[in-house]
Amino acid sequence: TDYGSSLTVSLPAALQPHQPFQIIVRYTTADGPAIWWLDPELTYGNAKPFVFTQGHSVCNRSFFPCFDTPAVKCTYSATVKAPAGIQVLMSATQSTYLEEEGVYQFYMEYPVPAYLVALVAGDLIHADIGPRSRVWAEPCLLPTAISKLSGMVERWLTAAESLYGPYIWGRYDIVFLPPSFPIVAMENPCLTFIISSILESDEFLIIDVIHEVAHSWFGNAVTNATWEEMWLSEGLATYAQRRITTETYGAAFTCLETAFRLDALHRQMKLLGEDNPVSKLQVKLEPGVNPSNLMNLFTYEKGYCFVYYLSQLCGDPRHFDSFLRAYIEKYKFTSVVAQDLLDSFLNFFPELKEQCVESKAGLEFERWLNATGPPLAEPDLSQGSSLTRPVEMLFKLWTTEPLDSVAAASSVDLTKWRTFQTVLFLDRLLDGSPLPHEVIKKLSECYSSQLDSMNAEIRIRWLQIVVRNDYYPDLYKVRRFLENQMSRMYTIPLYEDLCTGTLKSFALEIFYQTQNQLHPNLRKTIQQILSQGLNPLPAIDTSAVTTDTPAMVLEDKVSEATNGAISLRDVNVSA
């Protein structure tokens, strides 16, 4: 089947209960969903081949025989032989290298679920960035990685330890992977995997790494026993991430990032519907459904809201920190279900148990877990108002008719804003698209040149606005962006928007020009997008479109083009 087949091993009848035994399985791994082979052309250095694995959620069964469930944890060892000049790394606490034989040996001394066993090999070099951390990257990327993270990881680890107890994995190293890495980051113990594309977006890099640091406690040390309760890892890790950012960057920054994510949650809710079963924290996993398909913003943000609600019941977040330290100490290296967390919470706070907080009308724990729809309660983000209020004011200036406030709006210098302020503003414009033509024209005049020099997280949102509003004068920027992107997170959203509207032939033209620089898996996904929905339009040369081109150069060939595009960016998580 798509998910492999089971291997049943009959034990000898003479084996006594609890008697130790050993099973040896000799196997060969063919191409599988866990293993990503890259030709040199798909790396940044274009020098050597590259391979990495991605086990979450149920892919590692294609890597090695295993009990591929988060309920089972074990230690592991591995021997890996590689050609000279290829550096091999694994998510292990110990490693040695026998240079004469070209053999690496790895050992993970703590029990981990199968999905956290990870391997990467390629043209990688390293630099120490702290007393227990180093970054690994291709040689051309290492200086950037050092400049962005030197000294920072130790700061985040120390903050996390002050909240949740000792870091138990020894080293915290980071390896930056080529843009073919299918997600943003993965919390493999001792060795976090991160896509290199995120290096240019400082604030997203900070949040993504801190989120993976938080997983060292929530997800790696204590793991959800079933994929139906992924929020036990992701919701708690998101809460811990925001406690760490509050300690290191202040409450205002944390509230801004939270407002940005909750906006995305409500966008997803609007698209999927409030009665959609995937909005439950305890999702029913039907046979044959890939658990990764259930990963969405509810797992992260609705889970976070429930954890935040529990923390508010304590009256002081520091009291809740103490509970989480005790929870980690009790359950580390094991897997748990939601009832384990909630029972521990009520036992740790007997006064709350006496008040029957688990049955408070409208906020019952059972309703939190099993009701569809938005969170039953959301955090107070007023401490971030100094950062969110300017966003709200600027958005109002651009969306209030008549458009009399262009002068005031154009005086706002977005280059002075934080990245999360700018993406929050652009996301809200995306939500309101299509905008009146005069508005999009003035927006381009005011901000397009500013946005050109900003990071990819900002630029892709502006380009989505361009596409969803059929604003042809800036269309050449969409082409330029896609010609230089090989990452799933920066290509799929634009191709989906292009194919939902009237620009499918433009998308086809770009794809045919760039497909050889894309990983085969990404190429296949884009081909699927291009083959669905609207029939291909006649080929139109948009390469010469300039800012002087009239807005309606292209004739609408579709009678009922859908403007309310559902982009992958709207419904998928970023980390």
Side-chain angles (χ1 to χ4, degrees), residues 58-92:
V58 293
C59 292
N60 263 356
R61 62 189 66 180
S62 70
F63 181 22
F64 59 94
C66 56
F67 297 101
D68 202 1
T69 165
V72 175
K73 292 187 171 184
C74 64
T75 59
Y76 79 86
S77 60
T79 301
V80 184
K81 189 170 185 177
I86 296 293
Q87 175 70 50
V88 182
L89 306 170
M90 289 193 75
S91 54

PDB file of all heavy atoms in Angstrom, residues 58-92:
ATOM      1  N   VAL A  58       4.922   9.249   9.067  1.00  0.00           N
ATOM      2  CA  VAL A  58       5.031   7.800   8.927  1.00  0.00           C
ATOM      3  C   VAL A  58       5.882   7.435   7.713  1.00  0.00           C
ATOM      4  O   VAL A  58       5.615   6.446   7.024  1.00  0.00           O
ATOM      5  CB  VAL A  58       3.632   7.143   8.829  1.00  0.00           C
ATOM      6  CG1 VAL A  58       2.880   7.284  10.131  1.00  0.00           C
ATOM      7  CG2 VAL A  58       2.817   7.747   7.674  1.00  0.00           C
ATOM      8  N   CYS A  59       6.923   8.226   7.466  1.00  0.00           N
ATOM      9  CA  CYS A  59       7.769   7.972   6.302  1.00  0.00           C
ATOM     10  C   CYS A  59       8.968   7.085   6.603  1.00  0.00           C
ATOM     11  O   CYS A  59       9.494   6.430   5.710  1.00  0.00           O
ATOM     12  CB  CYS A  59       8.261   9.295   5.710  1.00  0.00           C
ATOM     13  SG  CYS A  59       6.951  10.291   4.968  1.00  0.00           S
ATOM     14  N   ASN A  60       9.423   7.051   7.852  1.00  0.00           N
ATOM     15  CA  ASN A  60      10.669   6.343   8.130  1.00  0.00           C
ATOM     16  C   ASN A  60      10.564   4.833   7.947  1.00  0.00           C
ATOM     17  O   ASN A  60      11.575   4.144   7.890  1.00  0.00           O
ATOM     18  CB  ASN A  60      11.189   6.680   9.530  1.00  0.00           C
ATOM     19  CG  ASN A  60      12.237   7.780   9.481  1.00  0.00           C
ATOM     20  OD1 ASN A  60      12.631   8.233   8.406  1.00  0.00           O
ATOM     21  ND2 ASN A  60      12.681   8.238  10.637  1.00  0.00           N
ATOM     22  N   ARG A  61       9.359   4.296   7.835  1.00  0.00           N
ATOM     23  CA  ARG A  61       9.207   2.878   7.513  1.00  0.00           C
ATOM     24  C   ARG A  61       9.779   2.571   6.124  1.00  0.00           C
ATOM     25  O   ARG A  61      10.041   1.408   5.815  1.00  0.00           O
ATOM     26  CB  ARG A  61       7.737   2.470   7.586  1.00  0.00           C
ATOM     27  CG  ARG A  61       6.839   3.190   6.606  1.00  0.00           C
ATOM     28  CD  ARG A  61       5.369   2.920   6.845  1.00  0.00           C
ATOM     29  NE  ARG A  61       4.914   3.459   8.121  1.00  0.00           N
ATOM     30  CZ  ARG A  61       3.660   3.364   8.572  1.00  0.00           C
ATOM     31  NH1 ARG A  61       2.754   2.735   7.845  1.00  0.00           N
ATOM     32  NH2 ARG A  61       3.327   3.878   9.727  1.00  0.00           N
ATOM     33  N   SER A  62       9.951   3.610   5.291  1.00  0.00           N
ATOM     34  CA  SER A  62      10.596   3.411   3.995  1.00  0.00           C
ATOM     35  C   SER A  62      12.112   3.573   4.089  1.00  0.00           C
ATOM     36  O   SER A  62      12.825   3.381   3.100  1.00  0.00           O
ATOM     37  CB  SER A  62      10.027   4.396   2.962  1.00  0.00           C
ATOM     38  OG  SER A  62      10.440   5.720   3.241  1.00  0.00           O
ATOM     39  N   PHE A  63      12.611   3.928   5.264  1.00  0.00           N
ATOM     40  CA  PHE A  63      14.038   4.132   5.529  1.00  0.00           C
ATOM     41  C   PHE A  63      14.640   2.891   6.200  1.00  0.00           C
ATOM     42  O   PHE A  63      15.709   2.419   5.821  1.00  0.00           O
ATOM     43  CB  PHE A  63      14.179   5.387   6.391  1.00  0.00           C
ATOM     44  CG  PHE A  63      15.577   5.787   6.769  1.00  0.00           C
ATOM     45  CD1 PHE A  63      16.678   5.381   6.046  1.00  0.00           C
ATOM     46  CD2 PHE A  63      15.767   6.623   7.859  1.00  0.00           C
ATOM     47  CE1 PHE A  63      17.962   5.775   6.414  1.00  0.00           C
ATOM     48  CE2 PHE A  63      17.039   7.030   8.230  1.00  0.00           C
ATOM     49  CZ  PHE A  63      18.137   6.600   7.507  1.00  0.00           C
ATOM     50  N   PHE A  64      13.940   2.352   7.193  1.00  0.00           N
ATOM     51  CA  PHE A  64      14.411   1.156   7.886  1.00  0.00           C
ATOM     52  C   PHE A  64      13.209   0.483   8.554  1.00  0.00           C
ATOM     53  O   PHE A  64      12.207   1.147   8.864  1.00  0.00           O
ATOM     54  CB  PHE A  64      15.472   1.512   8.938  1.00  0.00           C
ATOM     55  CG  PHE A  64      14.997   2.478   9.989  1.00  0.00           C
ATOM     56  CD1 PHE A  64      14.490   2.032  11.208  1.00  0.00           C
ATOM     57  CD2 PHE A  64      15.051   3.854   9.768  1.00  0.00           C
ATOM     58  CE1 PHE A  64      14.050   2.922  12.176  1.00  0.00           C
ATOM     59  CE2 PHE A  64      14.613   4.758  10.730  1.00  0.00           C
ATOM     60  CZ  PHE A  64      14.109   4.285  11.933  1.00  0.00           C
ATOM     61  N   PRO A  65      13.276  -0.840   8.793  1.00  0.00           N
ATOM     62  CA  PRO A  65      12.167  -1.525   9.479  1.00  0.00           C
ATOM     63  C   PRO A  65      12.019  -0.974  10.893  1.00  0.00           C
ATOM     64  O   PRO A  65      13.004  -0.873  11.631  1.00  0.00           O
ATOM     65  CB  PRO A  65      12.608  -2.994   9.489  1.00  0.00           C
ATOM     66  CG  PRO A  65      13.641  -3.098   8.427  1.00  0.00           C
ATOM     67  CD  PRO A  65      14.328  -1.775   8.385  1.00  0.00           C
ATOM     68  N   CYS A  66      10.803  -0.614  11.278  1.00  0.00           N
ATOM     69  CA  CYS A  66      10.620   0.010  12.590  1.00  0.00           C
ATOM     70  C   CYS A  66       9.163  -0.103  13.028  1.00  0.00           C
ATOM     71  O   CYS A  66       8.268  -0.374  12.232  1.00  0.00           O
ATOM     72  CB  CYS A  66      11.015   1.481  12.547  1.00  0.00           C
ATOM     73  SG  CYS A  66      10.140   2.464  11.311  1.00  0.00           S
ATOM     74  N   PHE A  67       8.961   0.100  14.324  1.00  0.00           N
ATOM     75  CA  PHE A  67       7.614   0.306  14.836  1.00  0.00           C
ATOM     76  C   PHE A  67       7.290   1.776  14.584  1.00  0.00           C
ATOM     77  O   PHE A  67       7.660   2.648  15.368  1.00  0.00           O
ATOM     78  CB  PHE A  67       7.543  -0.018  16.331  1.00  0.00           C
ATOM     79  CG  PHE A  67       7.834  -1.455  16.649  1.00  0.00           C
ATOM     80  CD1 PHE A  67       9.083  -1.849  17.122  1.00  0.00           C
ATOM     81  CD2 PHE A  67       6.854  -2.421  16.479  1.00  0.00           C
ATOM     82  CE1 PHE A  67       9.353  -3.176  17.419  1.00  0.00           C
ATOM     83  CE2 PHE A  67       7.104  -3.748  16.771  1.00  0.00           C
ATOM     84  CZ  PHE A  67       8.365  -4.129  17.239  1.00  0.00           C
ATOM     85  N   ASP A  68       6.635   2.050  13.461  1.00  0.00           N
ATOM     86  CA  ASP A  68       6.485   3.430  13.007  1.00  0.00           C
ATOM     87  C   ASP A  68       5.267   4.081  13.644  1.00  0.00           C
ATOM     88  O   ASP A  68       4.284   4.419  12.984  1.00  0.00           O
ATOM     89  CB  ASP A  68       6.387   3.471  11.482  1.00  0.00           C
ATOM     90  CG  ASP A  68       6.761   4.838  10.921  1.00  0.00           C
ATOM     91  OD1 ASP A  68       7.099   5.728  11.727  1.00  0.00           O
ATOM     92  OD2 ASP A  68       6.716   5.014   9.699  1.00  0.00           O
ATOM     93  N   THR A  69       5.350   4.253  14.944  1.00  0.00           N
ATOM     94  CA  THR A  69       4.296   4.903  15.725  1.00  0.00           C
ATOM     95  C   THR A  69       4.963   5.711  16.826  1.00  0.00           C
ATOM     96  O   THR A  69       5.982   5.275  17.393  1.00  0.00           O
ATOM     97  CB  THR A  69       3.346   3.867  16.356  1.00  0.00           C
ATOM     98  OG1 THR A  69       2.560   4.512  17.383  1.00  0.00           O
ATOM     99  CG2 THR A  69       4.103   2.711  16.982  1.00  0.00           C
ATOM    100  N   PRO A  70       4.443   6.883  17.151  1.00  0.00           N
ATOM    101  CA  PRO A  70       5.059   7.678  18.219  1.00  0.00           C
ATOM    102  C   PRO A  70       4.886   7.057  19.600  1.00  0.00           C
ATOM    103  O   PRO A  70       5.505   7.512  20.566  1.00  0.00           O
ATOM    104  CB  PRO A  70       4.330   9.026  18.120  1.00  0.00           C
ATOM    105  CG  PRO A  70       3.013   8.701  17.480  1.00  0.00           C
ATOM    106  CD  PRO A  70       3.300   7.573  16.531  1.00  0.00           C
ATOM    107  N   ALA A  71       4.063   6.005  19.703  1.00  0.00           N
ATOM    108  CA  ALA A  71       3.855   5.344  20.992  1.00  0.00           C
ATOM    109  C   ALA A  71       5.048   4.485  21.403  1.00  0.00           C
ATOM    110  O   ALA A  71       5.189   4.140  22.569  1.00  0.00           O
ATOM    111  CB  ALA A  71       2.593   4.482  20.943  1.00  0.00           C
ATOM    112  N   VAL A  72       5.897   4.133  20.434  1.00  0.00           N
ATOM    113  CA  VAL A  72       7.040   3.257  20.710  1.00  0.00           C
ATOM    114  C   VAL A  72       8.330   4.062  20.587  1.00  0.00           C
ATOM    115  O   VAL A  72       8.568   4.719  19.575  1.00  0.00           O
ATOM    116  CB  VAL A  72       7.067   2.069  19.732  1.00  0.00           C
ATOM    117  CG1 VAL A  72       8.320   1.224  19.934  1.00  0.00           C
ATOM    118  CG2 VAL A  72       5.817   1.219  19.901  1.00  0.00           C
ATOM    119  N   LYS A  73       9.177   3.974  21.622  1.00  0.00           N
ATOM    120  CA  LYS A  73      10.460   4.672  21.607  1.00  0.00           C
ATOM    121  C   LYS A  73      11.585   3.670  21.832  1.00  0.00           C
ATOM    122  O   LYS A  73      11.422   2.685  22.553  1.00  0.00           O
ATOM    123  CB  LYS A  73      10.509   5.747  22.693  1.00  0.00           C
ATOM    124  CG  LYS A  73       9.572   6.923  22.455  1.00  0.00           C
ATOM    125  CD  LYS A  73       9.805   8.034  23.474  1.00  0.00           C
ATOM    126  CE  LYS A  73       9.033   9.294  23.112  1.00  0.00           C
ATOM    127  NZ  LYS A  73       9.332  10.409  24.032  1.00  0.00           N
ATOM    128  N   CYS A  74      12.731   3.956  21.230  1.00  0.00           N
ATOM    129  CA  CYS A  74      13.891   3.090  21.441  1.00  0.00           C
ATOM    130  C   CYS A  74      15.172   3.876  21.172  1.00  0.00           C
ATOM    131  O   CYS A  74      15.149   4.931  20.547  1.00  0.00           O
ATOM    132  CB  CYS A  74      13.826   1.855  20.546  1.00  0.00           C
ATOM    133  SG  CYS A  74      13.900   2.217  18.781  1.00  0.00           S
ATOM    134  N   THR A  75      16.279   3.340  21.655  1.00  0.00           N
ATOM    135  CA  THR A  75      17.584   3.858  21.274  1.00  0.00           C
ATOM    136  C   THR A  75      17.929   3.286  19.905  1.00  0.00           C
ATOM    137  O   THR A  75      17.275   2.358  19.433  1.00  0.00           O
ATOM    138  CB  THR A  75      18.643   3.444  22.291  1.00  0.00           C
ATOM    139  OG1 THR A  75      18.688   2.012  22.357  1.00  0.00           O
ATOM    140  CG2 THR A  75      18.309   3.993  23.685  1.00  0.00           C
ATOM    141  N   TYR A  76      18.952   3.836  19.270  1.00  0.00           N
ATOM    142  CA  TYR A  76      19.367   3.257  17.993  1.00  0.00           C
ATOM    143  C   TYR A  76      20.854   3.500  17.773  1.00  0.00           C
ATOM    144  O   TYR A  76      21.452   4.405  18.362  1.00  0.00           O
ATOM    145  CB  TYR A  76      18.548   3.821  16.824  1.00  0.00           C
ATOM    146  CG  TYR A  76      18.966   5.193  16.324  1.00  0.00           C
ATOM    147  CD1 TYR A  76      19.978   5.337  15.368  1.00  0.00           C
ATOM    148  CD2 TYR A  76      18.331   6.349  16.771  1.00  0.00           C
ATOM    149  CE1 TYR A  76      20.357   6.579  14.888  1.00  0.00           C
ATOM    150  CE2 TYR A  76      18.701   7.602  16.301  1.00  0.00           C
ATOM    151  CZ  TYR A  76      19.717   7.710  15.358  1.00  0.00           C
ATOM    152  OH  TYR A  76      20.083   8.943  14.893  1.00  0.00           O
ATOM    153  N   SER A  77      21.442   2.660  16.933  1.00  0.00           N
ATOM    154  CA  SER A  77      22.806   2.881  16.460  1.00  0.00           C
ATOM    155  C   SER A  77      22.810   2.677  14.954  1.00  0.00           C
ATOM    156  O   SER A  77      21.947   1.996  14.400  1.00  0.00           O
ATOM    157  CB  SER A  77      23.788   1.917  17.134  1.00  0.00           C
ATOM    158  OG  SER A  77      23.432   0.572  16.853  1.00  0.00           O
ATOM    159  N   ALA A  78      23.784   3.273  14.277  1.00  0.00           N
ATOM    160  CA  ALA A  78      23.856   3.165  12.824  1.00  0.00           C
ATOM    161  C   ALA A  78      25.307   3.241  12.381  1.00  0.00           C
ATOM    162  O   ALA A  78      26.116   3.964  12.973  1.00  0.00           O
ATOM    163  CB  ALA A  78      23.045   4.284  12.159  1.00  0.00           C
ATOM    164  N   THR A  79      25.624   2.483  11.348  1.00  0.00           N
ATOM    165  CA  THR A  79      26.918   2.551  10.687  1.00  0.00           C
ATOM    166  C   THR A  79      26.681   2.993   9.251  1.00  0.00           C
ATOM    167  O   THR A  79      25.876   2.397   8.537  1.00  0.00           O
ATOM    168  CB  THR A  79      27.610   1.179  10.703  1.00  0.00           C
ATOM    169  OG1 THR A  79      27.779   0.762  12.061  1.00  0.00           O
ATOM    170  CG2 THR A  79      28.976   1.255  10.029  1.00  0.00           C
ATOM    171  N   VAL A  80      27.343   4.066   8.843  1.00  0.00           N
ATOM    172  CA  VAL A  80      27.104   4.656   7.526  1.00  0.00           C
ATOM    173  C   VAL A  80      28.432   4.794   6.795  1.00  0.00           C
ATOM    174  O   VAL A  80      29.373   5.394   7.316  1.00  0.00           O
ATOM    175  CB  VAL A  80      26.432   6.049   7.652  1.00  0.00           C
ATOM    176  CG1 VAL A  80      26.109   6.599   6.269  1.00  0.00           C
ATOM    177  CG2 VAL A  80      25.181   5.975   8.508  1.00  0.00           C
ATOM    178  N   LYS A  81      28.498   4.249   5.592  1.00  0.00           N
ATOM    179  CA  LYS A  81      29.685   4.396   4.766  1.00  0.00           C
ATOM    180  C   LYS A  81      29.400   5.408   3.671  1.00  0.00           C
ATOM    181  O   LYS A  81      28.353   5.354   3.021  1.00  0.00           O
ATOM    182  CB  LYS A  81      30.085   3.053   4.158  1.00  0.00           C
ATOM    183  CG  LYS A  81      31.436   3.088   3.447  1.00  0.00           C
ATOM    184  CD  LYS A  81      31.923   1.702   3.058  1.00  0.00           C
ATOM    185  CE  LYS A  81      33.330   1.784   2.461  1.00  0.00           C
ATOM    186  NZ  LYS A  81      33.856   0.439   2.126  1.00  0.00           N
ATOM    187  N   ALA A  82      30.338   6.318   3.457  1.00  0.00           N
ATOM    188  CA  ALA A  82      30.126   7.390   2.481  1.00  0.00           C
ATOM    189  C   ALA A  82      31.414   7.657   1.712  1.00  0.00           C
ATOM    190  O   ALA A  82      32.514   7.413   2.221  1.00  0.00           O
ATOM    191  CB  ALA A  82      29.666   8.657   3.181  1.00  0.00           C
ATOM    192  N   PRO A  83      31.303   8.182   0.494  1.00  0.00           N
ATOM    193  CA  PRO A  83      32.503   8.522  -0.283  1.00  0.00           C
ATOM    194  C   PRO A  83      33.309   9.627   0.398  1.00  0.00           C
ATOM    195  O   PRO A  83      32.769  10.415   1.194  1.00  0.00           O
ATOM    196  CB  PRO A  83      31.934   9.014  -1.622  1.00  0.00           C
ATOM    197  CG  PRO A  83      30.518   8.548  -1.658  1.00  0.00           C
ATOM    198  CD  PRO A  83      30.071   8.451  -0.249  1.00  0.00           C
ATOM    199  N   ALA A  84      34.574   9.683   0.090  1.00  0.00           N
ATOM    200  CA  ALA A  84      35.425  10.751   0.625  1.00  0.00           C
ATOM    201  C   ALA A  84      34.861  12.109   0.219  1.00  0.00           C
ATOM    202  O   ALA A  84      34.400  12.289  -0.911  1.00  0.00           O
ATOM    203  CB  ALA A  84      36.849  10.593   0.106  1.00  0.00           C
ATOM    204  N   GLY A  85      34.902  13.054   1.147  1.00  0.00           N
ATOM    205  CA  GLY A  85      34.413  14.399   0.864  1.00  0.00           C
ATOM    206  C   GLY A  85      32.945  14.602   1.137  1.00  0.00           C
ATOM    207  O   GLY A  85      32.429  15.708   0.987  1.00  0.00           O
ATOM    208  N   ILE A  86      32.259  13.524   1.555  1.00  0.00           N
ATOM    209  CA  ILE A  86      30.847  13.633   1.918  1.00  0.00           C
ATOM    210  C   ILE A  86      30.725  13.529   3.432  1.00  0.00           C
ATOM    211  O   ILE A  86      31.127  12.535   4.035  1.00  0.00           O
ATOM    212  CB  ILE A  86      30.003  12.529   1.246  1.00  0.00           C
ATOM    213  CG1 ILE A  86      30.014  12.692  -0.272  1.00  0.00           C
ATOM    214  CG2 ILE A  86      28.570  12.530   1.786  1.00  0.00           C
ATOM    215  CD1 ILE A  86      29.316  13.940  -0.773  1.00  0.00           C
ATOM    216  N   GLN A  87      30.190  14.564   4.042  1.00  0.00           N
ATOM    217  CA  GLN A  87      29.983  14.592   5.489  1.00  0.00           C
ATOM    218  C   GLN A  87      28.626  13.980   5.812  1.00  0.00           C
ATOM    219  O   GLN A  87      27.615  14.347   5.210  1.00  0.00           O
ATOM    220  CB  GLN A  87      30.029  16.035   6.009  1.00  0.00           C
ATOM    221  CG  GLN A  87      29.706  16.185   7.480  1.00  0.00           C
ATOM    222  CD  GLN A  87      30.791  15.612   8.379  1.00  0.00           C
ATOM    223  OE1 GLN A  87      31.966  15.914   8.213  1.00  0.00           O
ATOM    224  NE2 GLN A  87      30.394  14.784   9.344  1.00  0.00           N
ATOM    225  N   VAL A  88      28.604  13.046   6.761  1.00  0.00           N
ATOM    226  CA  VAL A  88      27.362  12.396   7.183  1.00  0.00           C
ATOM    227  C   VAL A  88      27.023  12.825   8.609  1.00  0.00           C
ATOM    228  O   VAL A  88      27.897  12.860   9.487  1.00  0.00           O
ATOM    229  CB  VAL A  88      27.483  10.858   7.121  1.00  0.00           C
ATOM    230  CG1 VAL A  88      26.160  10.200   7.526  1.00  0.00           C
ATOM    231  CG2 VAL A  88      27.891  10.405   5.724  1.00  0.00           C
ATOM    232  N   LEU A  89      25.767  13.153   8.849  1.00  0.00           N
ATOM    233  CA  LEU A  89      25.276  13.527  10.179  1.00  0.00           C
ATOM    234  C   LEU A  89      24.004  12.745  10.461  1.00  0.00           C
ATOM    235  O   LEU A  89      23.245  12.420   9.550  1.00  0.00           O
ATOM    236  CB  LEU A  89      24.969  15.027  10.246  1.00  0.00           C
ATOM    237  CG  LEU A  89      26.078  16.003   9.846  1.00  0.00           C
ATOM    238  CD1 LEU A  89      25.511  17.417   9.732  1.00  0.00           C
ATOM    239  CD2 LEU A  89      27.218  15.965  10.845  1.00  0.00           C
ATOM    240  N   MET A  90      23.766  12.462  11.753  1.00  0.00           N
ATOM    241  CA  MET A  90      22.498  11.846  12.156  1.00  0.00           C
ATOM    242  C   MET A  90      22.022  12.471  13.457  1.00  0.00           C
ATOM    243  O   MET A  90      22.782  13.139  14.165  1.00  0.00           O
ATOM    244  CB  MET A  90      22.652  10.325  12.319  1.00  0.00           C
ATOM    245  CG  MET A  90      22.835   9.571  11.011  1.00  0.00           C
ATOM    246  SD  MET A  90      22.637   7.771  11.176  1.00  0.00           S
ATOM    247  CE  MET A  90      20.832   7.643  11.327  1.00  0.00           C
ATOM    248  N   SER A  91      20.751  12.246  13.756  1.00  0.00           N
ATOM    249  CA  SER A  91      20.150  12.763  14.995  1.00  0.00           C
ATOM    250  C   SER A  91      20.547  11.842  16.141  1.00  0.00           C
ATOM    251  O   SER A  91      19.740  11.071  16.657  1.00  0.00           O
ATOM    252  CB  SER A  91      18.629  12.827  14.848  1.00  0.00           C
ATOM    253  OG  SER A  91      18.124  11.542  14.454  1.00  0.00           O
ATOM    254  N   ALA A  92      21.801  11.932  16.561  1.00  0.00           N
ATOM    255  CA  ALA A  92      22.354  11.015  17.549  1.00  0.00           C
ATOM    256  C   ALA A  92      23.173  11.787  18.576  1.00  0.00           C
ATOM    257  O   ALA A  92      23.682  12.873  18.293  1.00  0.00           O
ATOM    258  CB  ALA A  92      23.224   9.957  16.870  1.00  0.00           C
TER     259      ALA A  92
END
